[in-house]
Amino acid sequence: MTEPVIEAIDAVKFLGEGAGRVQALKGVSLAVGGGELTLLMGPSGSGKTTLLSILGCMLTPTSGTVRVGGRATADAGPEELAKIRRENIGFVFQSYHLFPTLNALDNVRLALDVRGENSHRAMQKSKEALARVGLALKMASYPSELSGGEQQRVAIARAIVSNPAILLADEPTAALDSENGHAIMEVLAEIAREQSRGVLVVTHDPRIVPFSDRIVSIEDGKIIGDKRPADGEARADKSGTAAAERTDKPSRKDRKRKP
Amino acid sequence: MSLAPKLAFRNLFHDRLRLIATVIGIVFSIVLVTVQMGLYVSFERMVTVMIDHADADLWIVPRGTKCFEDPSLLDERERFRALSVAGVASAAPLVIGFAQWRTPSGGNTPIFMIGSDPRGAGLEPWNVVEGRADALAIPGAVAIDRSYFDRLETTRVGEYAEIGDQRVQVLAITNGIRSFTTTPYVFSSIERARAYTGTAANKASYFLVRVTPGANVMQVRDSLRARLPDTEVLTTAEFRERSANFWMFGTGAGFALFAGAMLGLIVGTVIVAQTLYSSTKDHLNEFATLRAIGSSGGYIHKVIIFQALLSALIGFCLASVIGWIVVLATADTALPVVITPLMTAALLVLTVLMCVVSAVAAIMKVTRIDPAMVFTR
Ligand SMILES: Nc1ncnc2c1ncn2[C@@H]1O[C@H](COP(=O)(O)OP(=O)(O)O)[C@@H](O)[C@H]1O
Ligand SMILES: [Mg+2]
């Protein structure tokens, strides 16, 4: 891995208030680089979404540091954080979050529009992004006319159209059947490899494991494993059941090399 | 083209029911404001209609005169004094006052007499549609307005009636000389008006002064004021303003119209703010998504403002149509609603302003939006 694109160092996050106050992250360090697909796995409530939100500059950590492109985000206000997201990060959500009143093409264009790009070129880029996720023929369709898998492809196209350094996806296949989930993961894996983009996918779906270059395991707000399965091994294990549990050892990344 | 207007448009039309509520709110509010403003303009025009049509540079009026219809008397001596002031070309007497009109069928109805010298400068009937204004020189001739045909039971030139037991003949008919007090104006020669209103021959209500060509009206006014300390000397504009102020604010009529307009605006703002706010709340998920994918606060505000402006535009167009219907429907009433181009422009600005102010609550709501909510929904 080259320079990390985003990086959390000793991130601690408390969520909620009063009696409902929870320490969702208990000192997490994670760096994600370009060109590979990283899985963030762990049981429900383990802090996956919280970590993704912090890496994606949607939440600020209670303590600890977040760096995007080497730059610390500690003092950034909401507008600056939005700018950091705009310039570096693409998001894919479990429930797609498409705009129901806009067609597929406009949903993708929107990502460029909020970046101030609304020329003919933006239109062209949006079409290319849709074509890349296999929706060249569905550009004029509205979300309600698309299957779940297709909607998630539109969301992926929206996330990549602005050419972000990293793509963050929170359970992108959770709402899909295995066939569609499989297809979505193939698209994400392709994006990681062909476009040398960093892709971080949160999941507790073991079927996804074969697509990954790296698996980070989190439990109870702490990272308990970080491994790189050998290519062949991962690919062979289509059922993927035990993959998440087989924690690191050989290829564990030394994330603490920087202070 | 930016997608912000498209998104605003789609958001707006996505929920038809709410759009209808919004538009009704705007239309209700703007029509109310239009009517109030239209009545105000109409009322103001009406209360100064005589002053506006009189042939005068300066008015010599009895001390303490509040408005044109406030009759008290001046003495002819003042007129001669006025004529001796440098710069005064003429000073025409005008007699006004209430009288009784006896209809051909024997009924009585109060009228408001306006008598001036038909041969001299003064206040002649205008908009004469039948007969001739200079026929008022004929003894017993009067001019009436079309809009009072019913009240006066007189509909044709040549018909006879009685004012204060004296026979009069209608020799001119005007169109649109209407009084907001609903008492019909009747024009006659000054001598006859004196007789009908019981005014002595050496008295008059006003003297209408024309200055000599090239004279400075203000200087002449000041000289007249010095020369006639028992009267007031006003320029036409001053008298007009005094008359309008008296009716608009002395009587509370202006305040009532203003309060009505304000009420309309407040109700409209509340309705639009409410619907815009609830629309924004319904689309909060989308706004959070926009925020999550890196949109600036400004972009989201733009979408909301576009929604407000679009509502304003739709509401304004509909309100204009209704406004025109009101104008047409009231055109022949005692107090027609008047819409001027300036008013239309002011109303458009007001509508837009109202909608933008309404957007504030919605904007404050999205400003507090937490983009991280997109992960949990
Ligand atoms: N807004 C919140 N307020 C309080 N607690 C929260 C909030 N969001 C998440 N949590 C808690 O924080 C922990 C981590 O949540 P999350 O990161 O969503 O887990 P995961 O995505 O792994 O299921 C959970 O115990 C969850 O209940
Ligand atoms: Mg989660």
Coordinates of all heavy atoms in Angstrom, one line a residue, chain B residues 295-349:
Chain B
S295 N -22.1 18.2 -0.7 CA -22.7 19.5 -1.1 C -22.4 20.6 0.0 O -22.4 20.3 1.2 CB -24.2 19.3 -1.3 OG -24.9 20.4 -0.8
S296 N -22.2 21.8 -0.4 CA -22.1 22.9 0.5 C -23.4 23.2 1.1 O -24.5 22.9 0.5 CB -21.5 24.1 -0.2 OG -22.4 24.6 -1.1
G297 N -23.4 23.9 2.2 CA -24.7 24.4 2.8 C -25.4 25.3 1.8 O -26.6 25.3 1.6
G298 N -24.6 26.1 1.1 CA -25.2 27.0 0.1 C -26.0 26.3 -1.0 O -27.0 26.8 -1.4
Y299 N -25.5 25.2 -1.5 CA -26.2 24.5 -2.5 C -27.6 24.0 -2.0 O -28.6 24.2 -2.8 CB -25.4 23.2 -2.9 CG -25.9 22.5 -4.1 CD1 -25.5 22.8 -5.4 CD2 -26.9 21.5 -4.0 CE1 -26.0 22.2 -6.5 CE2 -27.4 20.8 -5.0 CZ -27.0 21.2 -6.3 OH -27.5 20.5 -7.4
I300 N -27.6 23.5 -0.8 CA -28.9 23.1 -0.3 C -29.8 24.3 0.0 O -31.0 24.2 -0.3 CB -28.7 22.3 1.1 CG1 -27.9 21.1 0.8 CG2 -30.0 22.0 1.8 CD1 -27.4 20.3 2.0
H301 N -29.3 25.4 0.4 CA -30.1 26.6 0.6 C -30.7 27.0 -0.7 O -31.8 27.5 -0.8 CB -29.3 27.7 1.2 CG -28.8 27.4 2.6 ND1 -27.8 28.1 3.2 CD2 -29.0 26.3 3.4 CE1 -27.5 27.6 4.4 NE2 -28.3 26.5 4.5
K302 N -29.8 26.9 -1.8 CA -30.3 27.2 -3.1 C -31.5 26.4 -3.5 O -32.5 27.0 -4.1 CB -29.1 27.0 -4.1 CG -29.1 27.9 -5.3 CD -27.8 28.0 -6.0 CE -27.5 26.7 -6.8 NZ -26.2 26.8 -7.5
V303 N -31.5 25.1 -3.2 CA -32.6 24.3 -3.6 C -33.9 24.8 -2.8 O -34.9 24.9 -3.4 CB -32.3 22.8 -3.2 CG1 -33.6 22.0 -3.4 CG2 -31.2 22.3 -4.0
I304 N -33.7 25.1 -1.6 CA -34.9 25.5 -0.8 C -35.4 26.9 -1.3 O -36.6 27.1 -1.4 CB -34.5 25.5 0.7 CG1 -34.3 24.1 1.2 CG2 -35.7 26.2 1.5 CD1 -33.8 24.0 2.6
I305 N -34.4 27.8 -1.5 CA -34.8 29.1 -2.0 C -35.6 29.0 -3.4 O -36.6 29.6 -3.6 CB -33.6 30.0 -2.1 CG1 -33.0 30.3 -0.8 CG2 -34.0 31.3 -2.9 CD1 -33.6 31.4 0.0
F306 N -35.0 28.1 -4.2 CA -35.7 27.9 -5.5 C -37.1 27.4 -5.3 O -38.0 27.8 -6.0 CB -34.9 26.9 -6.4 CG -33.9 27.5 -7.3 CD1 -32.6 27.0 -7.2 CD2 -34.2 28.5 -8.1 CE1 -31.6 27.6 -8.0 CE2 -33.3 29.1 -9.0 CZ -32.0 28.6 -8.9
Q307 N -37.3 26.5 -4.3 CA -38.6 26.0 -4.0 C -39.5 27.2 -3.6 O -40.7 27.3 -4.1 CB -38.6 25.0 -2.9 CG -38.5 23.5 -3.4 CD -38.4 22.6 -2.2 OE1 -37.4 22.1 -1.8 NE2 -39.6 22.2 -1.6
A308 N -39.0 28.0 -2.8 CA -39.7 29.2 -2.3 C -40.1 30.1 -3.5 O -41.2 30.5 -3.6 CB -39.0 29.9 -1.2
L309 N -39.1 30.4 -4.3 CA -39.3 31.3 -5.5 C -40.3 30.7 -6.5 O -41.2 31.4 -7.0 CB -38.0 31.6 -6.2 CG -37.0 32.4 -5.4 CD1 -35.7 32.7 -6.2 CD2 -37.7 33.8 -5.0
L310 N -40.2 29.4 -6.7 CA -41.1 28.7 -7.6 C -42.5 28.8 -7.1 O -43.5 29.2 -7.8 CB -40.7 27.3 -7.7 CG -40.8 26.7 -9.1 CD1 -39.9 27.5 -10.1 CD2 -40.3 25.2 -9.1
S311 N -42.7 28.6 -5.8 CA -44.0 28.7 -5.2 C -44.5 30.1 -5.3 O -45.7 30.4 -5.6 CB -44.0 28.4 -3.7 OG -43.2 27.2 -3.4
A312 N -43.6 31.1 -5.1 CA -44.0 32.5 -5.2 C -44.5 32.8 -6.6 O -45.5 33.5 -6.8 CB -42.8 33.4 -4.8
L313 N -43.8 32.3 -7.6 CA -44.1 32.6 -8.9 C -45.5 32.1 -9.3 O -46.3 32.7 -9.9 CB -43.0 32.0 -9.9 CG -42.8 32.9 -11.1 CD1 -42.2 34.2 -10.7 CD2 -41.8 32.1 -12.0
I314 N -45.7 30.8 -8.9 CA -47.0 30.2 -9.2 C -48.1 30.9 -8.5 O -49.1 31.3 -9.1 CB -47.0 28.7 -8.8 CG1 -45.9 27.9 -9.6 CG2 -48.3 28.0 -9.0 CD1 -45.6 26.5 -9.0
G315 N -47.8 31.2 -7.2 CA -48.8 31.9 -6.4 C -49.1 33.3 -7.0 O -50.3 33.7 -7.1
F316 N -48.1 33.9 -7.4 CA -48.2 35.3 -7.9 C -49.1 35.3 -9.2 O -49.9 36.2 -9.4 CB -46.9 36.0 -8.1 CG -47.0 37.4 -8.6 CD1 -47.3 38.4 -7.8 CD2 -46.8 37.7 -10.0 CE1 -47.4 39.7 -8.2 CE2 -46.9 38.9 -10.5 CZ -47.2 40.0 -9.6
C317 N -48.8 34.4 -10.1 CA -49.5 34.3 -11.3 C -51.0 34.1 -11.1 O -51.8 34.8 -11.6 CB -49.0 33.2 -12.2 SG -47.3 33.6 -12.9
L318 N -51.3 33.2 -10.2 CA -52.7 32.9 -9.9 C -53.3 34.1 -9.2 O -54.5 34.5 -9.5 CB -52.8 31.7 -9.0 CG -52.8 30.3 -9.7 CD1 -52.8 29.2 -8.7 CD2 -54.1 30.2 -10.5
A319 N -52.6 34.7 -8.3 CA -53.1 35.8 -7.6 C -53.4 37.0 -8.5 O -54.4 37.7 -8.4 CB -52.1 36.3 -6.5
S320 N -52.5 37.1 -9.6 CA -52.7 38.2 -10.5 C -54.1 38.0 -11.3 O -54.8 39.0 -11.5 CB -51.6 38.2 -11.6 OG -50.4 38.4 -10.9
V321 N -54.3 36.7 -11.7 CA -55.5 36.5 -12.4 C -56.7 36.8 -11.5 O -57.7 37.5 -11.9 CB -55.6 35.0 -12.8 CG1 -57.0 34.6 -13.3 CG2 -54.5 34.6 -13.8
I322 N -56.7 36.4 -10.2 CA -57.8 36.7 -9.3 C -57.9 38.2 -9.1 O -59.0 38.7 -9.0 CB -57.6 35.9 -8.0 CG1 -57.7 34.4 -8.3 CG2 -58.7 36.3 -7.0 CD1 -57.5 33.5 -7.1
G323 N -56.7 38.8 -9.0 CA -56.7 40.2 -8.8 C -57.4 41.0 -9.9 O -58.2 41.9 -9.7
W324 N -57.1 40.5 -11.1 CA -57.8 41.2 -12.3 C -59.3 40.9 -12.3 O -60.1 41.8 -12.7 CB -57.2 40.7 -13.6 CG -56.0 41.6 -13.9 CD1 -54.7 41.3 -13.9 CD2 -56.1 43.0 -14.2 NE1 -53.9 42.4 -14.2 CE2 -54.8 43.5 -14.4 CE3 -57.1 43.9 -14.4 CZ2 -54.5 44.8 -14.7 CZ3 -56.8 45.3 -14.7 CH2 -55.5 45.7 -14.8
I325 N -59.7 39.7 -11.8 CA -61.1 39.5 -11.8 C -61.7 40.4 -10.8 O -62.8 41.0 -11.0 CB -61.4 38.0 -11.4 CG1 -60.9 37.1 -12.5 CG2 -62.8 37.8 -11.1 CD1 -60.9 35.6 -12.2
V326 N -61.1 40.6 -9.6 CA -61.6 41.6 -8.6 C -61.7 43.0 -9.2 O -62.7 43.7 -9.0 CB -60.7 41.5 -7.3 CG1 -61.1 42.6 -6.4 CG2 -60.8 40.2 -6.7
V327 N -60.6 43.3 -9.9 CA -60.6 44.7 -10.5 C -61.8 44.9 -11.5 O -62.5 45.8 -11.4 CB -59.3 44.9 -11.3 CG1 -59.4 46.2 -12.2 CG2 -58.1 45.1 -10.3
L328 N -62.0 43.9 -12.3 CA -63.1 44.0 -13.3 C -64.5 43.9 -12.5 O -65.4 44.7 -12.9 CB -63.1 42.8 -14.3 CG -61.8 42.8 -15.2 CD1 -61.8 41.6 -16.1 CD2 -61.8 44.1 -16.0
A329 N -64.6 43.1 -11.5 CA -65.8 43.0 -10.8 C -66.2 44.2 -10.0 O -67.3 44.5 -9.8 CB -65.8 41.8 -9.9
T330 N -65.2 45.0 -9.6 CA -65.4 46.1 -8.7 C -65.4 47.4 -9.5 O -65.6 48.5 -9.0 CB -64.5 46.2 -7.6 OG1 -63.1 46.3 -8.1 CG2 -64.5 45.0 -6.7
A331 N -65.1 47.3 -10.8 CA -64.9 48.5 -11.6 C -66.0 49.5 -11.5 O -65.8 50.7 -11.5 CB -64.6 48.1 -13.1
D332 N -67.2 49.0 -11.4 CA -68.4 49.9 -11.4 C -69.0 50.1 -10.1 O -70.1 50.6 -9.9 CB -69.4 49.4 -12.4 CG -69.0 49.7 -13.9 OD1 -68.4 50.8 -14.1 OD2 -69.2 48.8 -14.7
T333 N -68.2 49.8 -9.0 CA -68.8 50.0 -7.7 C -68.3 51.3 -7.1 O -67.5 52.0 -7.7 CB -68.3 48.8 -6.8 OG1 -66.9 48.9 -6.7 CG2 -68.7 47.5 -7.3
A334 N -68.8 51.6 -5.9 CA -68.4 52.9 -5.3 C -66.9 53.0 -5.0 O -66.3 54.0 -5.0 CB -69.2 53.1 -4.0
L335 N -66.3 51.8 -4.7 CA -64.9 51.8 -4.4 C -64.2 50.7 -5.2 O -64.0 49.6 -4.7 CB -64.7 51.6 -2.9 CG -63.4 52.0 -2.3 CD1 -63.1 53.5 -2.7 CD2 -63.3 51.8 -0.9
P336 N -63.9 51.0 -6.5 CA -63.3 50.0 -7.3 C -61.9 49.7 -6.8 O -61.2 50.6 -6.4 CB -63.3 50.6 -8.7 CG -63.3 52.1 -8.4 CD -64.0 52.3 -7.1
V337 N -61.5 48.4 -6.9 CA -60.1 48.0 -6.6 C -59.2 48.4 -7.8 O -59.6 48.0 -8.9 CB -60.0 46.5 -6.3 CG1 -58.6 46.1 -6.2 CG2 -60.8 46.2 -5.0
V338 N -58.2 49.1 -7.6 CA -57.4 49.6 -8.7 C -56.0 48.9 -8.6 O -55.4 48.8 -7.5 CB -57.2 51.1 -8.6 CG1 -56.2 51.6 -9.6 CG2 -58.5 51.9 -8.7
I339 N -55.5 48.4 -9.7 CA -54.1 47.9 -9.7 C -53.3 48.7 -10.7 O -53.7 48.8 -11.9 CB -54.2 46.4 -10.1 CG1 -54.9 45.6 -9.1 CG2 -52.7 45.8 -10.2 CD1 -55.0 44.1 -9.3
T340 N -52.2 49.3 -10.2 CA -51.4 50.0 -11.1 C -50.1 49.2 -11.4 O -49.9 48.2 -10.7 CB -50.9 51.3 -10.4 OG1 -50.2 50.9 -9.3 CG2 -52.1 52.1 -10.0
P341 N -49.4 49.5 -12.5 CA -48.2 48.7 -12.8 C -47.2 48.7 -11.7 O -46.6 47.7 -11.3 CB -47.7 49.4 -14.0 CG -48.8 50.1 -14.6 CD -49.7 50.5 -13.5
L342 N -47.1 49.8 -11.0 CA -46.2 49.9 -9.9 C -46.6 49.0 -8.8 O -45.8 48.3 -8.2 CB -46.1 51.4 -9.4 CG -45.1 51.7 -8.3 CD1 -43.7 51.6 -8.9 CD2 -45.4 53.0 -7.6
M343 N -47.9 48.9 -8.6 CA -48.4 48.0 -7.5 C -48.1 46.6 -7.9 O -47.8 45.8 -7.0 CB -49.9 48.2 -7.5 CG -50.5 48.4 -6.1 SD -52.2 48.8 -6.3 CE -52.9 47.2 -6.0
T344 N -48.3 46.2 -9.2 CA -48.0 44.9 -9.6 C -46.6 44.5 -9.3 O -46.3 43.5 -8.7 CB -48.3 44.7 -11.1 OG1 -49.6 45.3 -11.3 CG2 -48.3 43.3 -11.5
A345 N -45.7 45.4 -9.6 CA -44.3 45.2 -9.4 C -44.0 45.1 -7.9 O -43.3 44.2 -7.4 CB -43.4 46.4 -9.9
A346 N -44.6 46.0 -7.1 CA -44.5 45.9 -5.7 C -45.0 44.6 -5.1 O -44.4 44.0 -4.2 CB -45.2 47.1 -5.0
L347 N -46.1 44.1 -5.6 CA -46.7 42.9 -5.2 C -45.8 41.7 -5.5 O -45.6 40.8 -4.7 CB -48.1 42.7 -5.8 CG -49.2 43.4 -5.1 CD1 -50.4 43.4 -6.0 CD2 -49.5 42.9 -3.7
L348 N -45.2 41.7 -6.7 CA -44.3 40.6 -7.0 C -43.1 40.6 -6.1 O -42.7 39.5 -5.6 CB -43.8 40.8 -8.5 CG -42.8 39.8 -9.0 CD1 -43.4 38.4 -8.9 CD2 -42.3 40.1 -10.4
V349 N -42.5 41.8 -5.8 CA -41.4 41.8 -4.9 C -41.9 41.3 -3.5 O -41.2 40.6 -2.8 CB -40.9 43.3 -4.8 CG1 -39.9 43.4 -3.6 CG2 -40.3 43.7 -6.1

